[in-house]
Amino acid sequence: MYYQLYQNQADLMAPFRAAARGFGGVLRQFDNGGPETFGVRQAAATLELMAGGGLTHMRPPFGFTTVMVGNQEVKVEEVVADSTPFGNLLHFRKDTEVPQPKVLVVAPMSGHFATLLRGTVQVLLPDNDVYITDWANARDIPASAGRFGMDEFTDHVMRFQRVLGPDSHVLAVCQPAVPVLAAVALMAEDKDPATPASMTLMAGPIDTRIRPTQVNALALEHDVKWFEQNLIDTVPWRFQGGGRKVYPGITQIGAFISMNLDRHVKAHADQYRNVMGGDSVRADAHRKFYDEYLAVMDLPAEFYLETVKSVFQDHDLALGKATWRGRAVKPEMITDTRLLVVEAGKDDICSVGQTQAAAALCSGLPEEMKVYHLQADVGHYGVFNGRRWASEIYPLVRDIIQPGRAPA
């Protein structure tokens, strides 16, 4: 199978990339920026591109050590608050006695690690007691741990929300918007005391019939059997998850790159010029982005296939047909959870209107408890990362979590 072929190639290239990384670093020490070291810079730039061309399968660090709370700098410690074979509930515990609202950030299980939301967490941290779903790489999960599908994802959201307890909040980015909405509906119907006080859904595929994107169209080109036969593979036996059926991260990252191939080719050409020109700021920014972007994780096969069928093909939640372990999911049972929906005007993954559909589904929620925001000038990632997220979107999140809060 192609997973084993990929792994063989990666193992073969690993020592060459390591050597390129080390030798390139040595060469940079001899570069004085002058014309006499032009050849050194040229060689270092070439080695840089070679070293950075491979994928990794380990989660990069979040890297938070301190944060400002008010006018005080406090320490941040990563603590595992709960754990299952499929992921940890990671708590960014702060060394402060200032009471803050507890917020569960539900990261997408979409081929990248939860650190893709580093910028999201960074902005939330000063005002909130932040937790995040730190999903495990499926190739590191023993097959004996069992299956992980949409029901199990929803289980985890409810389980982790109960760890946070009453008067906490939930924020879902992209794909988890569907199981998060389902989890909150189930908890609301059961009058669970841990039902979130607020729910923020950001660029998530609640109803993909609305203005279908290229991603949505691709999901409809074949039946789910085709996806199983052509995109699902088996983890090689040398890994802890050996024998587990997965949607490999290499397949997902290949799809992402192919959607914007010209942009990635240009980025690497620019990086060559950055190193050649001694622009260390831009070169470091490129390295940081691609170290994260090329860190990939495998998805459990059943989760990927059920997502394709339920969310993108059958539109179960949007059509009122969604179930959790055979029980109907009823978003209309949500009556006390404030709702914020955020979309991006330039989103080529989840188009405008797809997430907004959640507001109509939550028909039992008073209109004054629903807030919709369209950030017209950003794409998909700009909803939860970057300047617009920090300056224009986050204030709305803060207000939905703490209505009536005095401005900072």
Side-chain angles (χ1 to χ4, degrees):
M1 299 293 282
Y2 69 89
Y3 198 143
Q4 186 62 64
L5 293 174
Y6 154 76
Q7 194 58 53
N8 292 343
Q9 183 269 342
D11 292 343
L12 178 66
M13 292 300 298
F16 294 99
R17 290 198 173 100
R21 185 175 296 107
F23 190 42
V26 171
L27 285 179
R28 283 195 292 272
Q29 303 304 312
F30 293 95
D31 178 18
N32 62 17
E36 64 275 13
T37 57
F38 175 82
V40 171
R41 285 196 300 280
Q42 191 174 40
T46 302
L47 291 169
E48 165 103 8
L49 295 184
M50 179 180 175
L55 303 179
T56 62
H57 301 271
M58 299 291 292
R59 175 173 75 74
F62 277 96
F64 301 121
T65 56
T66 63
V67 66
M68 294 298 295
V69 177
N71 60 0
Q72 181 183 10
E73 185 177 38
V74 301
K75 292 182 179 179
V76 178
E77 180 184 9
E78 293 181 19
V79 178
V80 175
D82 194 16
S83 183
T84 80
F86 297 95
N88 295 327
L89 174 60
L90 192 63
H91 181 201
F92 299 97
R93 187 168 64 191
K94 296 190 288 260
D95 184 18
T96 178
E97 295 182 0
V98 175
Q100 294 183 320
K102 294 182 178 180
V103 179
L104 172 62
V105 177
V106 184
M109 186 180 279
S110 57
H112 284 107
F113 292 92
T115 46
L116 188 70
L117 304 188
R118 184 185 291 104
T120 314
V121 174
Q122 184 177 21
V123 171
L124 288 166
L125 268 178
D127 300 323
N128 304 281
D129 189 11
V130 182
Y131 297 71
I132 194 168
T133 56
D134 189 14
W135 301 115
N137 189 345
R139 81 174 192 170
D140 298 326
I141 304 171
S144 60
R147 77 185 312 277
F148 187 95
M150 287 286 283
D151 284 349
E152 287 75 20
F153 195 112
T154 305
D155 288 340
H156 278 64
V157 174
M158 293 190 288
R159 171 174 172 157
F160 290 164
Q161 202 70 55
R162 290 173 185 131
V163 173
L164 272 66
D167 299 319
S168 57
H169 309 265
V170 65
L171 182 152
V173 176
C174 191
Q175 160 265 314
V178 172
V180 164
L181 181 55
V184 174
L186 292 162
M187 297 176 77
E189 184 176 12
D190 291 343
K191 301 188 185 307
D192 192 315
T195 303
S198 79
M199 171 173 55
T200 299
L201 305 179
M202 307 180 72
I206 299 296
D207 189 348
T208 60
R209 297 172 301 169
I210 301 171
R211 299 185 184 89
T213 65
Q214 182 184 0
V215 173
N216 306 149
L218 289 173
L220 294 172
E221 285 185 0
H222 307 281
D223 62 19
V224 75
K225 192 67 176 178
W226 181 93
F227 286 92
E228 182 176 7
Q229 293 174 342
N230 290 274
L231 300 182
I232 300 302
D233 211 329
T234 305
V235 176
W237 288 106
R238 57 177 281 200
F239 299 106
Q240 193 172 4
R244 177 178 286 279
K245 295 290 186 180
V246 297
Y247 175 61
I250 56 170
T251 305
Q252 181 75 306
I253 194 66
F256 284 151
I257 290 175
S258 66
M259 287 177 62
N260 296 284
L261 182 60
D262 291 347
R263 185 184 305 170
H264 291 289
V265 170
K266 181 180 183 302
H268 282 77
D270 289 344
Q271 178 67 350
Y272 182 85
R273 287 188 286 270
N274 293 338
V275 177
M276 285 289 294
D279 190 337
S280 60
V281 174
R282 284 194 173 92
D284 286 344
H286 175 97
R287 294 183 195 108
K288 184 177 180 180
F289 174 82
Y290 277 99
D291 282 351
E292 183 72 53
Y293 192 73
L294 297 178
V296 300
M297 59 179 285
D298 299 344
L299 280 61
E302 52 273 12
F303 173 76
Y304 173 76
L305 294 172
E306 289 173 14
T307 298
V308 169
K309 182 168 177 56
S310 177
V311 177
F312 294 98
Q313 294 185 346
D314 294 345
H315 317 291
D316 286 337
L317 185 62
L319 294 174
K321 300 186 300 181
T323 61
W324 168 76
R325 301 198 177 282
R327 173 182 164 184
V329 172
K330 303 174 183 177
E332 65 271 18
M333 299 303 295
I334 301 173
T335 58
D336 296 316
T337 298
R338 297 183 297 277
L339 173 65
L340 170 63
V341 172
V342 182
E343 296 185 316
K346 298 180 179 179
D347 198 331
D348 59 354
I349 295 176
C350 185
S351 64
V352 174
Q354 292 189 2
T355 316
Q356 188 180 19
L361 293 176
C362 296
S363 57
L365 196 62
E367 290 302 314
E368 61 268 22
M369 295 182 69
K370 304 176 187 178
V371 178
Y372 173 72
H373 177 70
L374 173 63
Q375 190 70 39
D377 51 358
V378 301
H380 188 73
Y381 292 97
V383 167
F384 55 89
N385 266 314
R387 181 170 58 88
R388 299 297 190 191
W389 149 244
S391 64
E392 300 182 31
I393 299 173
Y394 171 64
L396 301 174
V397 176
R398 184 181 58 209
D399 290 345
I400 207 76
I401 291 173
Q402 300 184 72
R405 177 187 186 274

